Coordinates of all heavy atoms in Angstrom, one line a residue:
M30 N 0.9 -1.2 0.0 CA 0.0 0.0 0.0 C 0.9 1.2 0.0 O 1.9 1.3 0.6 CB -0.9 0.0 1.2 CG -1.9 1.1 1.3 SD -2.9 1.1 2.7 CE -4.0 -0.3 2.3
A31 N 0.4 2.3 -0.7 CA 1.2 3.5 -0.8 C 1.2 4.2 0.6 O 0.4 4.0 1.4 CB 0.6 4.4 -1.8
T32 N 2.2 5.0 0.8 CA 2.3 5.7 2.1 C 1.9 7.1 2.1 O 2.1 7.8 3.0 CB 3.8 5.6 2.6 OG1 4.6 6.1 1.6 CG2 4.2 4.1 2.9
G33 N 1.3 7.6 1.0 CA 0.9 9.0 0.9 C -0.4 9.2 1.6 O -1.5 9.1 1.0
W34 N -0.4 9.6 2.9 CA -1.6 9.9 3.7 C -1.8 11.4 3.7 O -1.2 12.1 4.5 CB -1.5 9.3 5.1 CG -1.2 7.9 5.1 CD1 0.0 7.3 5.3 CD2 -2.1 6.8 4.9 NE1 -0.1 5.9 5.2 CE2 -1.4 5.6 5.0 CE3 -3.5 6.8 4.6 CZ2 -2.0 4.4 4.8 CZ3 -4.1 5.5 4.5 CH2 -3.4 4.4 4.6
T35 N -2.6 11.9 2.8 CA -2.6 13.4 2.6 C -3.9 14.0 3.2 O -4.0 15.2 3.3 CB -2.6 13.8 1.2 OG1 -3.6 13.1 0.5 CG2 -1.2 13.4 0.5
G36 N -4.8 13.2 3.7 CA -6.0 13.8 4.2 C -7.1 12.8 4.3 O -7.0 11.7 3.8
D37 N -8.2 13.1 5.0 CA -9.3 12.2 5.2 C -9.9 11.7 3.9 O -10.1 10.5 3.7 CB -10.4 12.8 6.1 CG -10.0 13.0 7.5 OD1 -9.0 12.3 7.9 OD2 -10.6 13.7 8.3
N38 N -10.2 12.6 3.0 CA -10.8 12.2 1.8 C -9.9 11.3 1.0 O -10.3 10.3 0.4 CB -11.2 13.4 0.9 CG -12.4 14.1 1.5 OD1 -13.2 13.5 2.2 ND2 -12.6 15.3 1.1
A39 N -8.6 11.7 0.9 CA -7.6 10.8 0.2 C -7.5 9.5 0.8 O -7.5 8.5 0.1 CB -6.3 11.5 0.2
V40 N -7.5 9.4 2.1 CA -7.4 8.1 2.8 C -8.7 7.3 2.5 O -8.6 6.1 2.2 CB -7.3 8.3 4.3 CG1 -7.4 7.0 5.0 CG2 -6.0 9.0 4.6
N41 N -9.8 7.9 2.6 CA -11.0 7.1 2.3 C -11.1 6.6 0.9 O -11.5 5.5 0.6 CB -12.3 8.0 2.6 CG -12.5 8.2 4.1 OD1 -12.1 7.4 4.9 ND2 -13.2 9.2 4.4
E42 N -10.7 7.5 0.0 CA -10.6 7.1 -1.4 C -9.7 5.9 -1.6 O -9.9 5.0 -2.4 CB -10.3 8.3 -2.3 CG -11.4 9.2 -2.5 CD -11.0 10.5 -3.2 OE1 -10.0 10.4 -3.9 OE2 -11.8 11.5 -3.2
Q43 N -8.5 6.1 -0.9 CA -7.5 5.0 -1.1 C -8.0 3.7 -0.5 O -7.9 2.7 -1.1 CB -6.2 5.5 -0.4 CG -5.1 4.5 -0.6 CD -3.8 5.0 -0.1 OE1 -3.8 5.6 1.0 NE2 -2.7 4.6 -0.7
I44 N -8.7 3.8 0.6 CA -9.2 2.5 1.2 C -10.3 2.0 0.3 O -10.3 0.8 0.1 CB -9.8 2.8 2.6 CG1 -8.6 3.2 3.6 CG2 -10.6 1.6 3.1 CD1 -9.1 3.7 4.9
D45 N -11.1 2.8 -0.2 CA -12.2 2.3 -1.0 C -11.6 1.7 -2.3 O -12.0 0.6 -2.7 CB -13.1 3.5 -1.5 CG -14.4 3.1 -2.1 OD1 -15.0 2.1 -1.5 OD2 -14.8 3.7 -3.1
A46 N -10.6 2.3 -2.9 CA -10.0 1.7 -4.1 C -9.3 0.4 -3.7 O -9.4 -0.5 -4.5 CB -9.0 2.7 -4.7
T47 N -8.7 0.4 -2.6 CA -8.0 -0.8 -2.2 C -9.0 -2.0 -2.0 O -8.7 -3.1 -2.4 CB -7.2 -0.6 -0.9 OG1 -6.3 0.5 -1.1 CG2 -6.4 -1.8 -0.5
V48 N -10.1 -1.7 -1.3 CA -11.1 -2.7 -1.1 C -11.6 -3.2 -2.4 O -11.7 -4.4 -2.6 CB -12.2 -2.2 -0.2 CG1 -13.4 -3.2 -0.2 CG2 -11.7 -1.9 1.2
K49 N -12.0 -2.3 -3.3 CA -12.6 -2.7 -4.6 C -11.5 -3.5 -5.4 O -11.9 -4.5 -6.0 CB -13.0 -1.5 -5.4 CG -14.3 -0.9 -4.8 CD -14.7 0.3 -5.6 CE -16.0 0.9 -5.1 NZ -16.3 2.2 -5.7
D50 N -10.3 -3.1 -5.3 CA -9.3 -3.8 -6.0 C -9.1 -5.2 -5.4 O -8.9 -6.2 -6.1 CB -8.0 -3.0 -6.0 CG -6.9 -3.7 -6.8 OD1 -7.1 -3.9 -8.0 OD2 -5.8 -3.9 -6.3
G51 N -9.2 -5.2 -4.1 CA -9.0 -6.5 -3.4 C -10.1 -7.5 -3.8 O -9.9 -8.7 -4.0
I52 N -11.3 -7.0 -3.9 CA -12.5 -7.8 -4.3 C -12.2 -8.3 -5.7 O -12.4 -9.5 -6.0 CB -13.8 -7.1 -4.1 CG1 -14.1 -6.8 -2.7 CG2 -14.9 -7.9 -4.8 CD1 -15.3 -5.9 -2.5
R53 N -11.8 -7.4 -6.5 CA -11.6 -7.8 -7.9 C -10.5 -8.9 -8.0 O -10.7 -9.9 -8.7 CB -11.2 -6.6 -8.7 CG -11.8 -6.5 -10.1 CD -11.4 -5.2 -10.8 NE -12.0 -4.0 -10.2 CZ -11.4 -2.9 -9.9 NH1 -10.1 -2.9 -10.0 NH2 -12.0 -1.9 -9.3
R54 N -9.5 -8.7 -7.3 CA -8.4 -9.6 -7.3 C -8.8 -11.0 -6.7 O -8.5 -12.0 -7.2 CB -7.2 -9.1 -6.6 CG -6.4 -8.2 -7.5 CD -5.0 -7.9 -6.9 NE -5.1 -7.1 -5.7 CZ -4.1 -6.9 -4.9 NH1 -3.0 -7.4 -5.1 NH2 -4.3 -6.1 -3.9
A55 N -9.6 -10.9 -5.7 CA -10.1 -12.1 -5.0 C -11.0 -12.9 -6.0 O -10.9 -14.1 -6.1 CB -10.8 -11.8 -3.8
Q56 N -11.8 -12.2 -6.7 CA -12.7 -12.8 -7.7 C -11.9 -13.4 -8.8 O -12.4 -14.3 -9.6 CB -13.8 -11.9 -8.1 CG -14.8 -11.6 -7.0 CD -15.8 -10.6 -7.5 OE1 -15.6 -9.9 -8.4 NE2 -16.9 -10.6 -6.8
S57 N -10.7 -12.9 -9.0 CA -9.8 -13.5 -10.1 C -9.1 -14.8 -9.5 O -8.4 -15.4 -10.2 CB -8.8 -12.5 -10.5 OG -9.5 -11.4 -11.1
R58 N -9.4 -15.1 -8.3 CA -8.9 -16.3 -7.6 C -7.4 -16.2 -7.5 O -6.8 -17.3 -7.5 CB -9.4 -17.5 -8.4 CG -10.9 -17.6 -8.5 CD -11.3 -18.8 -9.3 NE -11.1 -20.0 -8.6 CZ -10.3 -21.0 -9.0 NH1 -9.7 -20.9 -10.2 NH2 -10.1 -22.1 -8.3
L59 N -6.8 -15.1 -7.3 CA -5.4 -15.0 -7.0 C -5.2 -15.3 -5.5 O -5.9 -14.7 -4.7 CB -4.8 -13.7 -7.4 CG -4.9 -13.3 -8.9 CD1 -4.4 -11.9 -9.1 CD2 -4.0 -14.3 -9.7
P60 N -4.2 -16.1 -5.2 CA -4.0 -16.4 -3.8 C -3.3 -15.3 -3.0 O -2.2 -15.5 -2.5 CB -3.2 -17.7 -3.9 CG -2.4 -17.5 -5.1 CD -3.3 -16.7 -6.1
H61 N -3.9 -14.1 -3.0 CA -3.4 -13.0 -2.2 C -4.3 -12.6 -1.1 O -5.5 -12.9 -1.1 CB -3.1 -11.8 -3.1 CG -2.0 -12.0 -4.1 ND1 -0.7 -12.0 -3.7 CD2 -2.0 -12.3 -5.4 CE1 0.1 -12.2 -4.7 NE2 -0.7 -12.4 -5.8
G62 N -3.8 -11.9 -0.2 CA -4.7 -11.3 0.9 C -4.8 -12.2 2.1 O -4.3 -13.3 2.1
K63 N -5.5 -11.7 3.1 CA -5.7 -12.4 4.3 C -6.7 -13.5 4.1 O -7.7 -13.4 3.3 CB -6.3 -11.5 5.4 CG -5.4 -10.4 5.8 CD -6.1 -9.6 6.9 CE -5.3 -8.4 7.3 NZ -6.0 -7.5 8.2
P64 N -6.5 -14.6 4.8 CA -7.5 -15.7 4.8 C -8.8 -15.2 5.4 O -8.8 -14.3 6.3 CB -6.9 -16.8 5.6 CG -5.5 -16.4 5.7 CD -5.4 -15.0 5.6
L65 N -9.9 -15.6 4.9 CA -11.2 -15.2 5.5 C -11.7 -16.3 6.5 O -11.4 -17.5 6.3 CB -12.3 -15.1 4.4 CG -11.9 -14.1 3.3 CD1 -13.0 -14.1 2.2 CD2 -11.8 -12.7 3.8
S66 N -12.4 -15.8 7.5 CA -12.9 -16.7 8.5 C -14.3 -17.3 8.0 O -14.8 -18.2 8.6 CB -13.1 -16.0 9.8 OG -13.9 -14.9 9.7
Q67 N -14.9 -16.6 7.0 CA -16.1 -17.1 6.5 C -16.0 -17.1 5.0 O -15.3 -16.3 4.3 CB -17.3 -16.1 6.8 CG -17.6 -16.1 8.3 CD -18.8 -15.2 8.6 OE1 -18.9 -14.1 8.1 NE2 -19.7 -15.7 9.4
C68 N -16.7 -18.1 4.4 CA -16.7 -18.3 3.0 C -17.1 -17.0 2.3 O -18.2 -16.5 2.6 CB -17.5 -19.5 2.6 SG -17.7 -19.7 0.8
A69 N -16.4 -16.6 1.2 CA -16.8 -15.4 0.5 C -18.0 -15.6 -0.4 O -18.6 -14.7 -0.9 CB -15.6 -14.9 -0.4
N70 N -18.3 -16.9 -0.6 CA -19.4 -17.2 -1.5 C -20.7 -17.5 -0.7 O -21.7 -16.9 -1.0 CB -19.0 -18.4 -2.3 CG -19.9 -18.7 -3.5 OD1 -20.5 -17.7 -4.0 ND2 -20.1 -19.9 -3.9
C71 N -20.6 -18.4 0.3 CA -21.9 -18.7 0.9 C -21.9 -18.3 2.4 O -23.0 -18.3 3.0 CB -22.1 -20.3 0.9 SG -21.0 -21.2 1.9
G72 N -20.8 -17.8 2.9 CA -20.8 -17.3 4.3 C -20.6 -18.3 5.4 O -20.6 -18.0 6.5
A73 N -20.4 -19.5 5.0 CA -20.1 -20.6 5.9 C -18.8 -20.4 6.6 O -17.9 -19.8 6.0 CB -20.2 -21.9 5.3
A74 N -18.7 -20.8 7.9 CA -17.4 -20.7 8.6 C -16.4 -21.6 7.9 O -16.7 -22.7 7.6 CB -17.6 -21.0 10.0
I75 N -15.2 -21.0 7.8 CA -14.1 -21.8 7.3 C -13.2 -22.3 8.5 O -12.8 -21.5 9.3 CB -13.2 -21.0 6.3 CG1 -14.0 -20.5 5.1 CG2 -12.0 -21.7 5.9 CD1 -13.3 -19.6 4.2
P76 N -13.0 -23.6 8.6 CA -12.3 -24.1 9.8 C -10.9 -23.5 9.8 O -10.3 -23.3 8.8 CB -12.3 -25.6 9.5 CG -13.4 -25.9 8.6 CD -13.5 -24.6 7.7
E77 N -10.4 -23.3 11.0 CA -9.1 -22.7 11.2 C -8.0 -23.6 10.5 O -7.0 -23.1 10.0 CB -8.8 -22.5 12.7 CG -7.5 -21.7 12.9 CD -7.4 -21.3 14.3 OE1 -8.4 -21.3 15.0 OE2 -6.3 -20.9 14.7
A78 N -8.2 -24.9 10.6 CA -7.2 -25.8 10.0 C -7.1 -25.5 8.5 O -6.0 -25.6 7.9 CB -7.6 -27.2 10.2
R79 N -8.3 -25.3 7.9 CA -8.3 -25.0 6.4 C -7.6 -23.7 6.1 O -6.9 -23.5 5.2 CB -9.7 -25.0 5.9 CG -9.8 -24.6 4.4 CD -11.2 -25.0 3.9 NE -11.4 -24.4 2.6 CZ -10.9 -24.7 1.4 NH1 -10.0 -25.7 1.4 NH2 -11.2 -24.1 0.3
R80 N -7.9 -22.7 7.0 CA -7.3 -21.4 6.8 C -5.8 -21.4 6.9 O -5.1 -20.7 6.1 CB -7.8 -20.4 7.8 CG -9.2 -19.8 7.4 CD -9.6 -18.8 8.4 NE -10.3 -19.4 9.5 CZ -10.4 -18.9 10.7 NH1 -9.8 -17.7 11.0 NH2 -11.0 -19.4 11.7
S81 N -5.3 -22.2 7.8 CA -3.8 -22.3 8.0 C -3.2 -23.2 6.9 O -2.0 -23.0 6.5 CB -3.4 -22.8 9.3 OG -4.0 -24.1 9.6
A82 N -4.0 -24.1 6.3 CA -3.5 -25.0 5.3 C -3.5 -24.3 3.9 O -2.7 -24.7 3.1 CB -4.3 -26.3 5.3
V83 N -4.4 -23.4 3.7 CA -4.6 -22.8 2.4 C -4.3 -21.3 2.5 O -5.2 -20.6 3.0 CB -6.0 -23.1 1.8 CG1 -6.1 -22.5 0.4 CG2 -6.3 -24.5 1.9
P84 N -3.2 -20.8 2.1 CA -2.9 -19.4 2.2 C -3.9 -18.5 1.4 O -4.2 -18.9 0.2 CB -1.5 -19.3 1.6 CG -0.9 -20.6 1.6 CD -2.1 -21.6 1.5
G85 N -4.5 -17.5 2.0 CA -5.4 -16.7 1.4 C -6.7 -17.3 1.0 O -7.4 -16.9 0.1
V86 N -7.1 -18.4 1.8 CA -8.3 -19.1 1.5 C -9.5 -18.2 1.6 O -9.6 -17.3 2.5 CB -8.5 -20.3 2.4 CG1 -8.7 -19.9 3.9 CG2 -9.6 -21.2 1.9
R87 N -10.5 -18.3 0.7 CA -11.6 -17.4 0.7 C -12.9 -18.2 0.7 O -14.0 -17.7 0.9 CB -11.6 -16.5 -0.5 CG -10.4 -15.7 -0.8 CD -10.5 -15.1 -2.1 NE -11.9 -14.7 -2.5 CZ -12.6 -15.3 -3.4 NH1 -12.1 -16.3 -4.0 NH2 -13.8 -14.9 -3.6
L88 N -12.8 -19.5 0.3 CA -14.0 -20.3 0.1 C -14.0 -21.5 1.0 O -13.0 -22.0 1.4 CB -14.1 -20.8 -1.3 CG -14.2 -19.7 -2.4 CD1 -14.1 -20.3 -3.8 CD2 -15.4 -18.9 -2.3
C89 N -15.2 -21.9 1.4 CA -15.3 -23.1 2.2 C -15.0 -24.3 1.2 O -15.0 -24.1 0.0 CB -16.7 -23.3 2.8 SG -18.0 -23.5 1.6
I90 N -14.9 -25.5 1.8 CA -14.5 -26.6 0.9 C -15.6 -26.9 -0.2 O -15.2 -27.1 -1.3 CB -14.3 -27.8 1.8 CG1 -13.1 -27.6 2.7 CG2 -14.1 -29.1 0.9 CD1 -12.9 -28.7 3.8
A91 N -16.8 -26.8 0.2 CA -17.9 -27.1 -0.8 C -17.8 -26.1 -1.9 O -17.9 -26.4 -3.1 CB -19.2 -27.0 -0.1
C92 N -17.7 -24.8 -1.6 CA -17.6 -23.8 -2.6 C -16.4 -23.9 -3.5 O -16.4 -23.6 -4.7 CB -17.8 -22.4 -2.0 SG -19.4 -22.1 -1.4
Q93 N -15.3 -24.2 -2.8 CA -14.0 -24.3 -3.5 C -14.1 -25.4 -4.6 O -13.7 -25.3 -5.7 CB -12.9 -24.6 -2.6 CG -11.5 -24.7 -3.3 CD -11.1 -23.3 -3.8 OE1 -10.9 -22.4 -3.0 NE2 -11.0 -23.2 -5.1
E94 N -14.7 -26.5 -4.2 CA -14.8 -27.6 -5.1 C -15.7 -27.2 -6.2 O -15.5 -27.5 -7.4 CB -15.4 -28.9 -4.4 CG -14.3 -29.5 -3.5 CD -14.9 -30.7 -2.8 OE1 -16.1 -31.0 -2.9 OE2 -14.1 -31.5 -2.2
S95 N -16.8 -26.6 -5.9 CA -17.7 -26.1 -6.9 C -17.1 -25.1 -7.9 O -17.2 -25.2 -9.1 CB -19.0 -25.5 -6.3 OG -19.8 -25.0 -7.3
D96 N -16.3 -24.2 -7.3 CA -15.6 -23.2 -8.0 C -14.6 -23.8 -8.9 O -14.4 -23.4 -10.1 CB -14.9 -22.2 -7.1 CG -14.5 -20.9 -7.8 OD1 -15.1 -20.6 -8.8 OD2 -13.5 -20.4 -7.4
D97 N -13.9 -24.8 -8.4 CA -12.9 -25.5 -9.3 C -13.6 -26.2 -10.5 O -13.0 -26.3 -11.5 CB -12.2 -26.6 -8.4 CG -11.2 -25.9 -7.5 OD1 -10.9 -24.8 -7.6 OD2 -10.8 -26.6 -6.5
G98 N -14.8 -26.6 -10.2 CA -15.5 -27.3 -11.3 C -16.0 -26.4 -12.4 O -16.0 -26.8 -13.6
D99 N -16.5 -25.2 -12.0 CA -17.0 -24.3 -13.0 C -16.7 -22.9 -12.7 O -17.5 -22.2 -12.2 CB -18.5 -24.5 -13.2 CG -19.3 -24.4 -11.9 OD1 -18.7 -23.9 -10.9 OD2 -20.5 -24.7 -11.9
T100 N -15.5 -22.6 -13.0 CA -15.0 -21.2 -12.6 C -15.8 -20.1 -13.3 O -16.0 -19.1 -12.7 CB -13.5 -21.1 -13.1 OG1 -12.7 -22.1 -12.5 CG2 -12.9 -19.8 -12.7
A101 N -16.3 -20.4 -14.5 CA -16.9 -19.4 -15.3 C -18.2 -18.9 -14.6 O -18.7 -17.8 -14.8 CB -17.3 -19.9 -16.7
Q102 N -18.8 -19.8 -13.8 CA -20.1 -19.4 -13.1 C -19.9 -18.6 -11.8 O -20.8 -18.1 -11.3 CB -20.9 -20.6 -12.9 CG -21.5 -21.2 -14.2 CD -22.6 -22.2 -13.9 OE1 -23.1 -22.3 -12.8 NE2 -22.9 -23.0 -14.9
F103 N -18.7 -18.6 -11.3 CA -18.5 -17.9 -10.1 C -18.6 -16.4 -10.2 O -17.8 -15.8 -10.9 CB -17.1 -18.3 -9.4 CG -16.9 -17.6 -8.1 CD1 -17.6 -17.9 -7.0 CD2 -16.0 -16.5 -8.0 CE1 -17.4 -17.3 -5.8 CE2 -15.8 -15.9 -6.9 CZ -16.5 -16.3 -5.7
S104 N -19.6 -15.8 -9.6 CA -19.7 -14.3 -9.8 C -20.0 -13.7 -8.4 O -20.4 -12.5 -8.4 CB -20.8 -14.0 -10.8 OG -22.0 -14.6 -10.3
G105 N -19.8 -14.4 -7.3 CA -20.0 -13.8 -6.0 C -21.4 -13.8 -5.5 O -21.6 -13.3 -4.4
Y106 N -22.3 -14.3 -6.2 CA -23.7 -14.4 -5.7 C -23.8 -15.4 -4.6 O -22.9 -16.3 -4.5 CB -24.7 -14.6 -6.8 CG -24.6 -15.9 -7.6 CD1 -25.1 -17.0 -7.1 CD2 -23.9 -15.8 -8.8 CE1 -24.9 -18.2 -7.8 CE2 -23.7 -17.0 -9.5 CZ -24.2 -18.2 -9.0 OH -24.1 -19.3 -9.7
N107 N -24.9 -15.4 -3.8 CA -25.0 -16.2 -2.7 C -25.5 -17.6 -3.1 O -26.7 -17.8 -3.3 CB -26.0 -15.6 -1.7 CG -25.9 -16.4 -0.4 OD1 -25.1 -17.3 -0.2 ND2 -26.8 -16.0 0.5
R108 N -24.5 -18.5 -3.3 CA -24.9 -19.8 -3.7 C -24.6 -20.8 -2.6 O -23.4 -21.0 -2.2 CB -24.0 -20.2 -4.9 CG -24.3 -21.6 -5.4 CD -23.7 -21.9 -6.7 NE -22.2 -21.7 -6.6 CZ -21.4 -21.8 -7.6 NH1 -21.8 -21.9 -8.8 NH2 -20.1 -21.6 -7.4
R109 N -25.6 -21.4 -2.0 CA -25.4 -22.3 -0.9 C -25.0 -23.7 -1.4 O -25.8 -24.5 -1.8 CB -26.7 -22.4 -0.1 CG -27.0 -21.1 0.6 CD -27.5 -21.3 2.0 NE -27.7 -19.9 2.6 CZ -26.8 -19.4 3.5 NH1 -25.7 -20.1 3.8 NH2 -27.0 -18.3 4.0
G110 N -23.7 -23.8 -1.5 CA -23.2 -25.1 -2.0 C -23.3 -26.2 -1.0 O -22.8 -26.1 0.1
S111 N -23.9 -27.3 -1.4 CA -24.0 -28.5 -0.6 C -23.5 -29.6 -1.4 O -24.0 -29.9 -2.5 CB -25.4 -28.7 -0.1 OG -25.5 -30.0 0.4
K112 N -22.5 -30.3 -0.9 CA -21.9 -31.4 -1.6 C -23.0 -32.4 -1.9 O -23.0 -33.1 -2.9 CB -20.8 -32.0 -0.9 CG -19.5 -31.3 -1.1 CD -18.3 -32.1 -0.7 CE -18.0 -31.8 0.8 NZ -16.7 -32.3 1.2
D113 N -23.9 -32.6 -0.9 CA -24.9 -33.7 -1.1 C -25.8 -33.4 -2.2 O -26.4 -34.3 -2.8 CB -25.7 -33.8 0.2 CG -24.8 -34.4 1.3 OD1 -23.8 -35.1 1.0 OD2 -25.1 -34.1 2.5
S114 N -26.0 -32.1 -2.5 CA -27.0 -31.7 -3.5 C -26.4 -31.6 -4.9 O -27.1 -31.3 -5.9 CB -27.7 -30.4 -3.1 OG -26.8 -29.4 -3.2
Q115 N -25.1 -31.8 -5.0 CA -24.5 -31.6 -6.3 C -24.2 -32.9 -6.9 O -23.4 -33.7 -6.5 CB -23.2 -30.8 -6.1 CG -23.4 -29.4 -5.8 CD -22.1 -28.6 -5.6 OE1 -21.1 -29.2 -5.5 NE2 -22.2 -27.3 -5.4
L116 N -24.9 -33.1 -8.0 CA -24.6 -34.4 -8.8 C -23.4 -34.1 -9.7 O -23.3 -33.1 -10.4 CB -25.9 -34.7 -9.6 CG -27.1 -35.0 -8.8 CD1 -28.3 -35.2 -9.7 CD2 -26.9 -36.2 -7.9
R117 N -22.6 -35.1 -9.7 CA -21.4 -34.9 -10.5 C -21.4 -36.0 -11.6 O -21.7 -37.1 -11.4 CB -20.1 -35.1 -9.7 CG -19.9 -33.9 -8.8 CD -18.8 -34.2 -7.8 NE -18.5 -33.0 -7.0 CZ -17.5 -32.2 -7.3 NH1 -16.8 -32.4 -8.4 NH2 -17.3 -31.2 -6.6
Ligands
LIG17 ZN1 -19.0 -21.6 0.8

C-alpha cells in the first residue's frame, strides 16, 4: 500500500479503491490477501485448519470444489453449495 496519507478524503478514497481492487483480485482467484474466516461465496465458517493450510483461502470446501469445477459461473452471488445436492 502506498504511504501517501494526505487527508481524510484521500485516505477514504484510497481505502475504497484498495477494497474494490481486493475484491476484484479475489474474484480472479489469485491467492493473495488475508484468509477469510467465512466463505466469500456462501458465508459458511471456514475451519481454522483449512485457513492455515490454504494461504489466502476465501471459500469453504464445498464452494471451492464447486468453483474449481465451473470457474466461469463464479460471480460472487450467494450460492449455498452443498456437496450432497451436487450431482457430478
Ligand atoms: Zn462456501
